[in-house]
């Protein structure tokens, strides 16, 4: 495949921009009129012919206009000079909207609604992965002589509560000692590593207290195991109805794919730890999404990504604006998790 020179890249960029903005196939005359390409219409026609021959654009029907192919969108995204930044009012609105969240569920719900509104696409937000989360604190509260409430708090803001029915009366001294020993070993550690770190803890207690310690630890381990299930939240599916003509025949395959949580998790899971990923058309392995593009990125409470978020829409997408919105929202969510 011959490399494209700067002029052909400029023509391709102009075709993508015009087609995304107008929804109409783009002709050489329109390109010359709308863009300062610095060449004649005849040269633009020659460049368009070369782009079509190389598979970057195609003629959808007998009109003179051309539209980008998946390959053309891919080159456009790969050669983006910059992602469109959010304006100062948009950044303030994002921060104000997300700052009102009261807990992790609210953060995720607000994030997915905000992302769908900003991009006018389908938004998907993955809950922070427990396998990547760490323990912030474990609290033990005596509710009755033989009943204890266990509270697990992660660095991503997840809070899990469990009631523990102990085999005998639990003294406050033993409870305080157990609380201190658990936190000394578990705080800052990844959740999957906690059971092994606490495995020998009962031996540190008097024989009469070991059954209680073992029961509390069993409840904690059970809570950790149950929380390994991945969860996602979806919003903005109705936005797809605005793009009915962008999907071959019907949007039904797309809607069916969006109902499959495992499909969405796999799509988000294909991104790197924190880097942005754009999958266009048939780059999406799931056939039902071959007419869509997926823009996703990792978010987290520190340098490491703990989950992914992104949007799904037609390949005729405002890639610079969508990528900017996704990146900005991910950054703010990460900040909120770090501050929580």
């Amino acid at each position: 495949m011959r490399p494209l020179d700067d002029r052909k890249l400029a023509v391709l960029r102009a075709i993508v921009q015009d087609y995304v903005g107008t929804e109409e196939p783009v002709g050489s005359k329109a390109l010359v009129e709308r863009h300062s390409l610095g060449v004649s219409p005849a040269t633009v026609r020659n460049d368009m012919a070369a782009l079509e021959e190389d598979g970057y654009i195609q003629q959808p029907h007998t009109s003179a206009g051309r539209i980008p192919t998946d390959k053309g969108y891919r080159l456009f995204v790969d050669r983006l000079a910059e992602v469109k930044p959010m304006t100062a009012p948009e950044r303030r609105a994002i921060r104000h909207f997300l700052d009102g969240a009261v807990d992790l569920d609210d953060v995720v719900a607000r994030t997915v609604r905000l992302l769908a509104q900003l991009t006018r696409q389908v938004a998907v937000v993955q809950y922070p992965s427990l396998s990547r989360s760490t323990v912030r604190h474990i609290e033990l509260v005596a509710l009755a002589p033989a009943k204890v409430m266990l509270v697990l708090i992660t660095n991503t803001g997840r809070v899990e509560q469990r009631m523990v029915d102990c085999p005998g009366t639990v003294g406050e001294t033993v409870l305080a000692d157990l609380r201190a020993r658990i936190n000394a070993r578990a705080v800052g550690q990844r959740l999957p590593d906690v059971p092994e770190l606490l495995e020998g803890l009962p031996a540190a207690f008097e024989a009469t207290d070991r059954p209680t310690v073992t029961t509390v630890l069993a409840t904690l381990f059970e809570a950790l195991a149950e929380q390994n299930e991945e969860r996602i939240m979806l919003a903005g599916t109705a936005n797809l109805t605005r793009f009915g003509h962008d999907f071959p025949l019907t949007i039904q395959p797309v809607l069916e794919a969006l109902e499959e949580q495992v499909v969405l998790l796999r799509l988000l899971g294909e991104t790197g730890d924190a880097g942005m990923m754009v999958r266009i058309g048939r780059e999406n392995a799931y056939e039902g999404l071959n007419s869509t593009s997926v823009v996703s990125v990792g978010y987290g409470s520190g340098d490491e990504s703990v989950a992914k978020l992104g949007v799904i829409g037609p390949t005729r997408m405002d890639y610079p604006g969508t990528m900017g919105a996704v990146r900005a929202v991910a950054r703010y969510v990460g900040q909120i998790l770090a501050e929580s």
Side-chain angles (χ1 to χ4, degrees):
M1 184 65 64
R2 58 191 169 192
L4 295 187
D5 56 36
D6 290 344
R7 193 183 69 220
K8 290 186 180 65
L9 284 172
V11 171
L12 175 62
R13 186 177 296 112
I15 292 172
V16 171
Q17 291 171 345
D18 279 10
Y19 182 57
V20 169
T22 68
E23 305 181 25
E24 296 292 338
V26 184
S28 58
K29 181 180 178 182
L31 288 179
V32 172
E33 292 174 349
R34 294 173 185 160
H35 301 272
S36 302
L37 297 174
V39 293
S40 68
T43 300
V44 171
R45 283 194 294 273
N46 289 336
D47 288 340
M48 290 178 70
L51 289 169
E52 185 171 11
E53 183 179 344
D54 288 344
Y56 294 108
I57 60 176
Q58 64 183 2
Q59 189 173 24
H61 42 74
T62 54
S63 73
R66 302 295 188 275
I67 65 174
T69 61
D70 289 357
K71 182 180 177 181
Y73 284 125
R74 167 49 59 196
L75 185 62
F76 172 79
V77 170
D78 289 346
R79 296 295 185 91
L80 271 179
E82 60 181 19
V83 173
K84 190 184 299 180
M86 300 259 83
T87 65
E90 286 173 331
R91 291 197 301 270
R92 285 195 298 270
I94 291 173
R95 184 75 198 198
H96 177 74
F97 186 74
L98 295 179
D99 271 349
V102 296
D103 56 24
L104 181 64
D105 287 331
D106 198 15
V107 169
V108 174
R110 286 170 179 257
T111 299
V112 75
R113 291 203 311 273
L114 174 65
L115 204 50
Q117 291 168 8
L118 285 174
T119 63
R120 302 181 74 192
Q121 312 281 2
V122 180
V124 186
V125 177
Q126 179 186 19
Y127 273 79
S129 169
L130 267 295
S131 64
R132 298 189 179 192
S133 300
T134 61
V135 174
R136 176 172 290 173
H137 183 69
I138 295 172
E139 186 58 62
L140 299 174
V141 181
L143 299 180
K147 185 181 287 288
V148 171
M149 180 171 68
L150 182 151
V151 183
L152 166 66
I153 306 172
T154 74
N155 67 317
T156 52
R158 292 180 81 154
V159 179
E160 296 297 326
Q161 296 182 358
R162 294 289 188 279
M163 296 302 173
V164 186
D165 291 316
C166 300
T169 300
V170 185
E172 184 55 46
T173 301
V174 173
L175 198 62
D177 189 18
L178 179 56
R179 182 192 303 118
R181 289 176 183 270
I182 288 177
N183 281 288
R185 299 189 185 191
V187 169
Q189 302 297 325
R190 289 176 179 269
L191 269 62
D193 299 334
V194 171
E196 183 177 350
L197 295 170
L198 299 179
E199 188 176 4
L201 192 56
F205 289 82
E206 297 291 337
T208 54
D209 297 323
R210 288 173 191 168
T212 292
V213 173
T214 301
T215 301
V216 171
L217 291 180
T219 302
L220 173 60
F221 298 162
E222 183 181 289
L224 294 173
E226 288 178 1
Q227 291 307 308
N228 282 332
E229 180 186 356
E230 300 288 1
R231 297 166 58 198
I232 59 173
M233 190 172 290
L234 195 71
T237 304
N239 285 333
L240 289 178
T241 60
R242 300 186 303 109
F243 304 108
H245 55 281
D246 283 306
F247 300 106
L249 301 179
T250 173
I251 65 172
Q252 192 63 34
V254 180
L255 296 176
E256 291 174 354
L258 295 178
E259 291 179 357
E260 297 291 335
Q261 178 161 313
V262 66
V263 170
L264 299 178
L265 285 170
R266 190 176 299 125
L267 284 175
L268 295 179
E270 289 174 349
T271 66
D273 256 1
M276 179 167 290
M277 179 69 74
V278 180
R279 292 195 174 274
I280 300 169
R282 295 189 179 279
E283 293 174 357
N284 295 306
Y286 191 82
E287 186 177 354
L289 296 175
N290 283 170
S291 58
T292 70
S293 288
V294 180
V295 178
S296 57
V297 71
Y299 72 88
S301 58
D303 294 334
E304 186 179 14
S305 166
V306 295
K308 310 293 195 306
L309 59 79
V311 299
I312 301 168
T315 53
R316 189 185 59 81
M317 177 186 291
D318 173 15
Y319 290 97
T322 301
M323 293 164 69
V326 168
R327 184 176 64 182
V329 171
R331 183 183 302 122
Y332 279 110
V333 175
Q335 290 174 5
I336 288 170
L337 292 181
E339 294 165 3
S340 64

